[in-house]
Amino acid sequence: MKDLVSLTTHFVRERLSGDATGHDFWHIRRVSNLAERIARREGADLTVVRLAALLHDIADWKFHKGDASVGPKVARGWLEKQGADQELVSKVCAIIADVSFKGAGVKRPVLSLEGRVVQDADRLDALGAIGIARAFAYGGAKGRAMHDPAIKPRFHKSARAYLKAGGTTLNHFYEKLLLLKARMNTPTGRKMAQHRHAFMEGYVRRFLAEWDGKS
Ligand code: ADP
Ligand code: NI
């Protein structure tokens, strides 16, 4: 199955080149590496994890008017064209459908062990120094303000509300990033999130102190 993984790597690299919203191929690379590390410790199926990590952002729901079915469809089309086993295709596509964060108050789907591993890896890449950089890159690409003390963070009850919300990049830390530590799925992922979370907390504290000229 190594061939399918290499072919998929190539396919994803081509499709995601030039993205400036935090979903470039380097995000995929980092998530794949993290997912593989977690998968080995948690005893998850490496082929499923590798393929799902590679394909997890192939057509993000946020960029298709909230339609979460595009990603799994593109992934299925690709994997079937390569003659991949049906069971493998189903496992991978189920993960792609459910892995993305859709708002703090939105009900969470039940994931397979492999899905929990890929989701942890994806979340780790939204944390820490890289996570901070991605948040500001995303905010810049969307023309959002870094911060506005008059705009308060919101707890989104539906994926639609989360998608439509304007908001600032600093609020994204309260609306998503600082909530992720408590939502990690695997013991390995949870442990890896600690340090990244603490770094981000310190960063936000410092950002606000500098904002007020206190530091
Ligand atoms: P993932 O790849 O983890 O599914 P998303 O697709 O939700 O992540 O977002 C891509 C990156 O952009 C992440 O690092 C995320 O934190 C960041 N991001 C998403 N929504 C916002 C937002 N409203 N403001 C700032 N950053 C955001
Ligand atoms: Ni991702």
Side-chain angles (χ1 to χ4, degrees):
M1 222 26 111
K2 176 159 190 314
D3 267 345
L4 181 56
V5 172
S6 325
L7 287 168
T8 303
T9 305
H10 188 75
F11 168 68
V12 173
R13 187 183 286 140
E14 297 279 292
R15 285 252 332 191
L16 298 183
S17 66
D19 179 278
T21 60
H23 285 119
D24 56 299
F25 185 70
W26 291 111
H27 165 62
I28 304 302
R29 234 308 97 92
R30 292 189 302 268
V31 171
S32 296
N33 288 339
L34 286 165
E36 190 162 331
R37 234 173 98 192
I38 302 171
R40 286 186 194 283
R41 296 213 194 134
E42 300 288 332
D45 183 300
L46 276 178
T47 304
V48 173
V49 165
R50 283 191 184 120
L51 290 172
L54 283 168
L55 290 162
H56 84 275
D57 277 333
I58 198 69
D60 193 282
W61 68 286
K62 288 195 287 333
F63 304 110
H64 291 86
K65 302 194 176 75
D67 184 352
S69 71
V70 183
K73 246 184 250 161
V74 174
R76 180 173 291 278
W78 161 257
L79 293 171
E80 283 178 350
K81 205 171 88 190
Q82 308 313 308
D85 177 80
Q86 270 308 321
E87 201 188 319
L88 176 63
V89 176
S90 302
K91 284 183 184 166
V92 171
C93 292
I95 295 174
I96 299 167
D98 288 337
V99 94
S100 182
F101 182 90
K102 299 197 175 65
V106 176
K107 196 169 171 286
R108 287 170 258 168
V110 179
L111 291 163
S112 60
L113 171 61
E114 287 72 23
R116 297 200 298 277
V117 167
V118 174
Q119 189 173 59
D120 275 3
D122 194 29
R123 288 180 167 173
L124 283 169
D125 202 52
L127 301 182
I130 295 271
I132 294 167
R134 288 180 76 214
F136 285 103
Y138 182 100
K142 293 270 178 181
R144 298 201 171 160
M146 290 197 297
H147 177 46
D148 181 344
I151 303 175
K152 300 298 171 206
R154 292 175 46 200
F155 185 82
H156 303 106
K157 288 206 189 63
S158 74
R160 188 149 293 276
Y162 177 64
L163 185 66
K164 275 174 56 187
T168 65
T169 299
L170 200 74
N171 280 351
H172 188 62
F173 286 82
Y174 298 105
E175 289 166 359
K176 172 183 172 186
L177 305 180
L178 293 168
L179 308 177
L180 294 179
K181 185 183 73 155
R183 294 170 175 235
M184 298 302 287
N185 302 303
T186 65
T188 309
R190 206 167 300 131
K191 208 164 150 211
M192 290 167 82
Q194 306 281 346
H195 191 60
R196 292 181 187 227
H197 178 91
F199 183 82
M200 238 168 24
E201 254 183 350
Y203 173 82
V204 170
R205 217 176 301 126
R206 190 160 175 89
F207 182 105
L208 291 170
E210 289 182 14
W211 189 270
D212 291 331
K214 285 185 192 143
S215 178

